Amino acid sequence: MGPRIGPAGEGPQVPDKETKATMGTENTPGGKASPDPQDVRPSVFHNIKLFVLCHSLLQLAQLMISGYLKSSISTVEKRFGLSSQTSGLLVSFNEVGNTALIVFVSYFGSRVHRPRMIGYGAILVALAGLLMTLPHFISEPYRYDNTSPEDMPQDFKASLCLPTTSAPARTHSNGNCSSYTETQHLSVVGIMFVAQTLLGVGGVPIQPFGISYIDDFAHNSNSPLYLGILFAVTMMGPGLAFGLGSLMLRLYVDINQMPEGDISLTIKDPRWVGAWWLGFLIAAGSVALAAIPYFFFPKEMPKEKHELQFRRKVLAVTDSPARKDKDSPSKQSPGESTKKQDGLVQIAPNLTVIQFIKVFPRVLLQTLRHPIFLLVVLSQVCLSSMAAGMATFLPKFLERQFSITASYANLLIGCLSFPSVIVGIVVGGVLVKRLHLGPVGCGALCLLGMLLCLFFSLPLFFIGCPSHQIAGITHQTSAQPGLELFPSCMEVCSCPSDGFNPVCDPSTRVEYITPCHAGCSSQVVQDALDKSQVFYTNCSCVAEGNPVMAGSCDSTCSHLVVPFLLLVSLGSALACLTHTPSFMLILRGVKKEDKTLAVGIQFMFLRILAWMPSPVIHGSAIDTTCVHWALSCGRRAVCRYYNNDLLRNRPSEPLGSETGRASPGHRAESKTWR
């Protein structure tokens, strides 16, 4: 990840300590006058503690905007008709720009004004966040029942059983399918892909340059504390992103352009789309505000002279040997230090960009020859692949599996899962520190943590809800009324091919795609104190002609979502126990002069092999479990219903063409799943 790459600039910056030593006099009132604006800036920005505070807030805001898309992934799919594979690819594009540029951070680290580069990167992140909201403003207002004409309420009479003579009115939405519509859809999706790429590019300088800047100008004893504070605050970013998503998705997507007469949808309606774009506006504004101070910090500041009092005694006992090793190179002349170093770390300041690119493959192969390094990185790739896929699609999984709202799913994840991750990382670091674990002990702790994670994750295969019984789509061996494959009772209704306005028969718990598919010809609205309930009556396909309720059938096991997520959180905490010990295995398994580069290569591999492909792979696997696809202008769009058993167990083999062809618009191609 980005934060570990930053110290790559450390190596080239060690010879600059003579320059740093003179800065104390240059910045005094009696020092040499300079036309550089740095000399007239307020002295408050020459304080490393202020920089730590500002950088903690910036990284918090940056990770909040980077993680916000994951909290609203299912909403974006519904709004723009995306499959899970496409949405997973959209999430992966955040890593594309980051991965392409992160290798050069160590090369340019000592040659640029790091605070300003961080500020420029943050501004780019904020602009990318604003660009993510553009599709909302250039798209037509969301119509949750696209079969309705413009001059009538969206869900009134739109999905009722009408005579065949009314069929031309039902094809209104298909009439809008033109080359302009398709071009607009591609433009909207393309804008989001560009925004995600820019989001990754803007994040390149933020974490690495910030960490190296803190390490350069903080007191040697205070630097670990500052970095610990930085990472602790930063890790709250994804949790806040899911919390923000929980709040924003409770608001209707077109809150800025509500139709006349308001809307009849509730947040529990499967057609509900929340204000996903509003969270990007808030997060982008936070990043922009956090970027302002970086344009006032100097390129270099006097190194911190005093150790924090409450840390002095602890560091004297626990860190003195490591600090001596760390400080010893600074007591040598540049010539002596150069003789003891070899490879890319030593010659990097003298390389051009072309030379850097040429020498990098050779140094990469040398690093991969370390067996411990290679094995640990491969294990981290496997773990990160699971984590990346789960972080992207866990909210959607909870929505579909337990029939809960997107807002509630985000709230649970933000309150349970991410705090457990933080606890796991902290506990792992404490165990390594208190038990004085060496390479063997770190390996044993990693093995124990993953075995416990596997043990507590096994029940997840069995905790879930059965699939909804959908008339005309799902099949049940028992002769339950209403489950026939497109019963003849609704053939005279000329039901819309792409309609979606689900209704539920409470007596049999059978769900119909629209009231038309239930053969209903009239609508009744019953007003209550807190809300109104819509019923559809005169339903020819329902047993005894009972009325059906608007909306999907309630799940009988939604209460299992909390135990499920508690097990997920426990497994996540146990898996995160391995974070610090696996990192120590890498640092202690390579040569001292190769540590910085090894960490950089480690996270480059994690990006290329885990964080980039994993969301796409998980999204493709989720798509194979779909049993009912919505159609948009004749193409497959968002999935309406999933096979919950397959979705929960994530089968290694796809359902094949039988699942892929299941669509509501073509009766001859509709299949049943078993």
Side-chain angles (χ1 to χ4, degrees):
M1 189 179 285
R4 299 297 190 263
I5 306 290
E10 249 179 285
Q13 291 157 11
V14 171
D16 295 337
K17 289 191 175 181
E18 294 179 1
T19 304
K20 299 172 191 172
T22 63
M23 290 192 63
T25 59
E26 290 179 358
N27 290 291
T28 58
K32 178 176 63 175
S34 171
D36 194 296
Q38 295 178 8
D39 295 333
V40 297
R41 286 173 186 159
S43 59
V44 66
F45 289 102
H46 289 72
N47 188 334
I48 193 62
K49 296 183 181 66
L50 179 62
F51 184 88
V52 173
L53 174 63
C54 293
H55 204 62
S56 299
L57 296 177
L58 176 61
Q59 288 196 180
L60 175 70
Q62 187 227 344
L63 287 189
M64 183 170 65
I65 195 173
S66 298
Y68 180 76
L69 178 61
K70 299 179 178 65
S71 70
S72 55
I73 196 73
S74 63
T75 301
V76 173
E77 289 179 5
K78 266 193 284 189
R79 179 63 181 91
F80 299 107
L82 305 180
S83 64
S84 294
Q85 184 184 44
T86 304
S87 62
L89 183 63
L90 180 63
V91 172
S92 298
F93 259 67
N94 195 341
E95 302 292 341
V96 172
N98 202 306
T99 304
L101 299 178
I102 198 67
V103 177
F104 299 96
V105 168
S106 60
Y107 174 74
F108 289 108
S110 60
R111 305 186 179 196
V112 298
H113 193 300
R114 283 175 287 179
R116 287 182 184 172
M117 289 300 298
I118 293 173
Y120 294 143
I123 294 298
L124 183 58
V125 168
L127 292 177
L130 294 178
L131 187 61
M132 277 295 296
T133 68
L134 184 60
H136 168 75
F137 294 101
I138 65 176
S139 300
E140 295 293 330
Y142 172 61
R143 302 194 65 83
Y144 47 83
D145 189 343
N146 57 10
T147 64
S148 59
E150 295 286 342
D151 56 353
M152 68 171 54
Q154 291 191 37
D155 59 351
F156 180 70
K157 294 185 179 179
S159 302
L160 296 180
C161 179
L162 300 178
T164 307
T165 55
S166 303
R170 317 305 288 264
T171 60
H172 176 80
S173 62
N174 292 332
N176 289 335
C177 293
S178 62
S179 58
Y180 171 77
T181 304
E182 286 297 292
T183 302
Q184 186 184 41
H185 173 78
L186 293 176
S187 300
V188 164
V189 176
I191 288 173
M192 290 191 290
F193 274 94
V194 172
Q196 282 295 106
T197 304
L198 294 179
L199 204 60
V201 172
V204 169
I206 293 179
Q207 294 174 335
F209 285 170
I211 293 172
S212 62
Y213 193 84
I214 293 172
D215 195 59
D216 283 346
F217 302 118
H219 191 280
N220 291 337
S221 300
N222 297 338
S223 179
L225 174 63
Y226 292 155
L227 294 180
I229 294 174
L230 175 66
F231 291 134
V233 175
T234 299
M235 285 188 293
M236 294 188 295
L240 290 180
F242 279 86
L244 180 63
S246 176
L247 293 176
M248 296 300 104
L249 296 184
R250 296 182 64 87
L251 305 175
Y252 185 63
V253 60
D254 292 322
I255 190 174
N256 60 323
Q257 44 185 351
M258 295 287 286
E260 293 184 7
D262 210 342
I263 58 172
S264 59
L265 287 185
T266 65
I267 191 174
K268 294 184 178 181
D269 195 297
R271 298 171 296 169
W272 175 271
V273 171
W276 62 273
W277 55 274
L278 195 55
F280 278 108
L281 282 181
I282 296 175
S286 301
V287 173
L289 289 177
I292 295 176
Y294 287 89
F295 296 98
F296 299 96
F297 283 106
K299 180 178 181 180
E300 294 178 332
M301 66 172 62
K303 189 172 180 67
E304 193 176 32
K305 297 180 180 180
H306 302 290
E307 179 182 359
L308 296 179
Q309 295 295 328
F310 74 96
R311 292 282 297 169
R312 183 173 298 172
K313 185 177 298 186
V314 177
L315 289 172
V317 175
T318 60
D319 291 343
S320 57
R323 197 181 309 121
K324 289 179 181 178
D325 293 339
K326 181 178 178 181
D327 293 342
S328 57
S330 62
K331 299 178 182 178
Q332 301 170 354
S333 65
E336 293 174 349
S337 177
T338 303
K339 291 178 183 178
K340 290 189 177 183
Q341 294 181 352
D342 53 65
L344 183 63
V345 176
Q346 180 261 330
I347 62 176
N350 302 321
L351 291 179
T352 64
V353 176
I354 301 300
Q355 291 172 333
F356 179 82
I357 295 176
K358 289 181 178 180
V359 76
F360 180 74
R362 178 176 60 85
V363 180
L364 174 62
L365 292 177
Q366 290 178 354
T367 306
L368 293 179
R369 290 177 182 175
H370 296 284
I372 295 179
F373 173 82
L374 184 60
L375 291 175
V376 172
V377 168
L378 290 178
S379 66
Q380 288 181 335
V381 165
C382 296
L383 180 60
S384 297
S385 297
M386 178 193 69
M390 185 175 69
T392 303
F393 291 108
L394 182 59
K396 178 177 180 176
F397 174 84
L398 296 179
E399 292 176 49
R400 299 293 186 168
Q401 187 69 216
F402 299 99
S403 300
I404 62 176
T405 65
S407 175
Y408 185 48
N410 286 326
L411 180 64
L412 289 177
I413 294 173
C415 293
L416 295 178
S417 294
F418 280 100
S420 68
V421 169
I422 298 175
V423 170
I425 294 176
V426 172
V427 171
V430 170
L431 290 177
V432 172
K433 186 73 172 178
R434 292 294 180 92
L435 301 179
H436 304 285
L437 298 181
V440 176
C442 288
L445 181 58
C446 290
L447 179 62
L448 178 62
M450 293 311 303
L451 288 177
L452 291 175
C453 174
L454 178 63
F455 175 78
F456 285 103
S457 298
L458 288 178
L460 297 178
F461 286 93
F462 310 100
I463 301 178
C465 297
S467 301
H468 286 260
Q469 299 299 322
I470 315 298
I473 297 177
T474 61
H475 176 72
Q476 188 167 302
T477 55
S478 63
Q480 183 173 345
L483 290 183
E484 297 85 359
L485 186 61
F486 293 104
S488 58
C489 58
M490 45 78 62
E491 286 184 352
V492 297
C493 296
S494 180
C495 296
S497 60
D498 54 353
F500 184 65
N501 182 16
V503 294
C504 176
D505 180 5
S507 60
T508 59
R509 304 194 63 82
V510 175
E511 190 168 320
Y512 299 84
I513 301 175
T514 66
C516 180
H517 287 80
C520 303
S521 59
S522 60
Q523 181 190 56
V524 177
V525 179
Q526 293 184 356
D527 294 326
L529 294 177
D530 53 346
K531 63 178 181 179
S532 59
Q533 178 66 55
V534 179
F535 291 90
Y536 294 91
T537 58
N538 300 327
C539 303
S540 59
C541 297
V542 179
E544 300 179 1
N546 293 329
V548 294
M549 298 187 303
S552 295
C553 296
D554 293 333
S555 175
T556 58
C557 59
S558 295
H559 61 281
L560 295 178
V561 65
V562 175
F564 182 91
L565 202 56
L566 286 175
L567 283 176
V568 170
S569 302
L570 179 59
S572 301
L574 293 171
C576 289
L577 282 176
T578 66
H579 180 272
T580 300
S582 62
F583 189 74
M584 297 306 298
L585 280 174
I586 291 178
L587 293 180
R588 297 174 183 178
V590 298
K591 296 179 181 179
K592 182 178 180 181
E593 60 270 17
D594 294 336
K595 288 182 179 180
T596 298
L597 188 61
V599 173
I601 294 174
Q602 169 199 10
F603 285 100
M604 183 184 70
F605 272 96
L606 289 179
R607 277 192 168 90
I608 295 175
L609 300 180
W611 297 332
M612 288 176 61
S614 179
V616 182
I617 295 173
H618 281 75
S620 301
I622 291 175
D623 284 341
T624 62
T625 67
C626 182
V627 296
H628 178 82
W629 288 96
L631 295 180
S632 177
C633 297
R635 64 175 178 82
R636 196 174 72 175
V638 66
C639 181
R640 298 296 192 190
Y641 294 105
Y642 291 92
N643 181 335
N644 281 356
D645 294 329
L646 295 177
L647 180 63
R648 181 171 62 253
N649 298 327
R650 295 175 183 252
S652 58
E653 52 189 8
L655 298 180
S657 59
E658 188 169 332
T659 300
R661 290 197 306 267
S663 63
H666 300 83
R667 299 181 184 180
E669 292 182 1
S670 297
K671 303 291 181 178
T672 60
W673 54 264
R674 295 167 176 83

